[in-house]
Amino acid sequence: MLSVPHPEVLAPDFVPPVALGRNAELARLSELLGAGGPAEWTARFAEVVGPAGAGTSAVARLAARRLLEGIRRLGAPTPPLLAAVRVRRCRGTVGVAAALVQTFDEGFDGHGFPAAEVLAGFFRRLRRDGRPAVVVLDDLGPSSPDLELILRGFSQPDRFLPEGESGLPPIWLLLAGVDEAKGAWLAARRAGLPERARVTLRPYSHLTLEAIVEDRLVRALGRPAPPGMAAEIAERAHGESPSASRALDILRRALFEPGGVPRFAPPAVGRDRLSVEPRVLEALHRALAAGPVTLGELKRWEARLADLDGVRPLPATTLWRRLVRLEAEGFLRRAVRMGGEGGTRCVLELARPFTEWSVRPAPSGSRPVAAHVGAPAPRSLALPGPMRGPIPNAWAPAPRRPPAGGVRL
């Protein structure tokens, strides 16, 4: 039996402090992005391209963090901003622009606004605050939203400001994705972003893959890894594809399946009925287990669970309607509070304990409303906080999860 005191390092969005096997690529990115001193605080661009699972996202985000630290260390007049967006999770161009604005105001919803207006709002906020920004657009793939307007905006941001206004602080832009994202790379060329600012990653070798698994396993356990475990996982992953994401997925399954993680299993009591997707209930259970959370944190949980199910996260408006319904039924409380830099944030807390939540059966003559949430199959997910517990050391693939019933409300 293995206990995992630091499961957060196994989360898909975790960025390690060291990118094993990518020192040369990181050095090249630092050269492209500059920030060697105040004289180099000018807009820069770079892109990271490689096969799926080669670490393009991790390399780009680590380079962005190092750049941010360098700007702070050199004494920027105002604190720099890091805006990192996983494009694959966004719905259309408006979704990408809205995700950038949510860096300032996580409660913002771009529904009903033109993409150009939303992007202009991002640039205006940067100008008003005078903050240099490091922007990362990663997870670019063949099905990514059209980014031409977004990239043209970063190429000529002053055009998005009201007439007579200019003087944006410096903005560094990093793109990261697979070579098959032809539309995104073509949009970058059309926007005038240079192809020479490209860093190409090769697939990981077997030894590097083993080192990555070993490093993440040690961080998760807080002690030396069991002998041979990292080598076995790396060998299995390399036989399928030399992908770090695949290796880490196998590692998560090794630590968290089967049955090591408590699941949301509310009893059906009283007349209270819920009519939301099981994934939303599970996201609420995990997010609220340690107390009140922001709307942004709940969105991140729902997106992680959707990613594991291989589906798109719920649109922000759909998720918001679910929360309003749960509040009306007396299960949740929402509060809008002032956030940093003049923005706002939505905070959620339980109005009733989870033991009093239940699930409504499907009405006659319609599609099912919500599958029973009783005890779904375990997910391979790194879970923070109170979800920790003794984990069996087994990494056989989990049985295929039957599709959950559900309709959009």
Side-chain angles (χ1 to χ4, degrees):
M1 302 287 287
L2 288 176
S3 64
V4 185
H6 306 290
E8 63 277 1
V9 305
L10 299 174
D13 286 338
F14 176 76
V15 179
V18 177
L20 296 173
R22 299 301 187 206
N23 288 335
E25 290 84 354
L26 280 169
R28 173 59 179 157
L29 279 176
S30 296
E31 179 185 337
L32 290 170
L33 296 172
E40 294 191 36
W41 285 347
T42 57
R44 296 289 189 99
F45 166 74
E47 57 190 31
V48 186
V49 184
T56 55
S57 179
V59 168
R61 290 184 178 231
L62 183 55
R65 290 185 181 181
R66 291 182 177 180
L67 174 61
L68 213 69
E69 292 169 3
I71 296 171
R72 290 194 186 106
R73 207 165 40 241
L74 292 166
T78 53
L81 171 76
L82 175 60
V85 177
R86 289 195 179 275
V87 174
R88 180 167 57 93
R89 296 178 181 174
C90 298
R91 288 181 174 268
T93 309
V94 174
V96 178
L100 291 170
V101 175
Q102 286 164 5
T103 309
F104 294 105
D105 184 354
E106 63 184 20
F108 175 76
D109 182 359
H111 182 71
F113 292 92
E117 185 174 334
V118 178
L119 185 61
F122 176 72
F123 290 134
R124 290 170 185 168
R125 186 63 179 268
L126 287 178
R127 181 184 181 280
R128 191 190 77 182
D129 296 346
R131 300 179 66 180
V134 181
V135 177
V136 181
L137 304 179
D138 66 357
D139 269 2
L140 302 181
S143 59
S144 295
D146 184 3
L147 295 180
E148 186 159 351
L149 183 142
I150 303 291
L151 298 180
R152 286 189 183 278
F154 281 101
S155 176
Q156 299 176 307
D158 284 341
R159 294 184 57 186
F160 284 78
L161 296 174
E163 186 176 355
E165 294 186 6
S166 61
L168 274 164
I171 302 173
W172 290 263
L173 175 65
L174 287 90
L175 304 181
V178 297
D179 187 59
E180 291 79 9
K182 303 296 185 183
W185 309 130
L186 183 58
R189 304 292 84 80
R190 288 175 176 170
L193 300 173
E195 188 173 7
R196 65 178 181 276
R198 168 174 288 198
V199 173
T200 302
L201 306 184
R202 295 188 177 187
Y204 285 114
S205 67
H206 182 280
L207 290 178
T208 303
L209 211 55
E210 181 179 340
I212 291 172
V213 175
E214 180 87 16
D215 174 77
R216 202 65 65 89
L217 187 54
V218 169
R219 293 179 189 275
L221 299 178
R223 60 185 184 277
M229 185 175 180
E232 182 175 344
I233 291 175
E235 182 176 357
R236 176 176 169 184
H238 198 272
E240 299 175 6
S241 67
S243 163
S245 55
R246 176 60 182 151
L248 294 175
D249 182 58
I250 296 173
L251 175 59
R252 284 188 288 270
R253 293 191 178 197
L255 295 176
F256 292 102
E257 293 182 0
V261 179
R263 300 298 300 246
F264 178 34
V269 297
R271 294 186 176 182
D272 297 312
R273 305 293 183 185
L274 302 182
S275 53
V276 300
E277 293 81 352
R279 189 171 73 246
V280 174
L281 298 179
E282 187 176 353
L284 283 165
H285 183 250
R286 296 185 186 281
L288 290 167
V293 296
T294 63
L295 176 61
E297 180 63 19
L298 176 64
K299 286 180 179 178
R300 286 188 285 274
W301 269 111
E302 195 275 331
R304 285 186 202 172
L305 297 173
D307 192 49
L308 289 172
D309 283 343
V311 298
R312 286 183 180 272
L314 288 177
T317 51
T318 302
L319 181 60
W320 184 258
R321 287 198 297 270
R322 303 300 189 265
L323 299 179
V324 171
R325 174 171 292 179
L326 291 173
E327 182 184 35
E329 293 177 352
F331 294 101
L332 287 179
R333 279 193 296 266
R334 293 179 297 128
V336 178
R337 303 176 183 174
M338 296 302 295
E341 300 292 335
T344 60
R345 59 176 183 159
C346 177
V347 178
L348 305 168
E349 59 183 354
L350 287 175
R352 299 173 60 181
F354 280 111
T355 53
E356 298 180 14
W357 294 38
S358 60
V359 179
R360 182 176 70 188
S364 176
S366 68
R367 292 184 292 174
V369 173
H372 179 56
V373 189
R379 297 177 189 267
S380 56
L381 179 68
L383 301 173
M387 258 52 82
R388 300 172 185 169
I391 309 296
N393 179 14
W395 53 83
R400 185 176 181 85
R401 180 177 178 177
V407 299
R408 302 188 182 279
L409 301 177

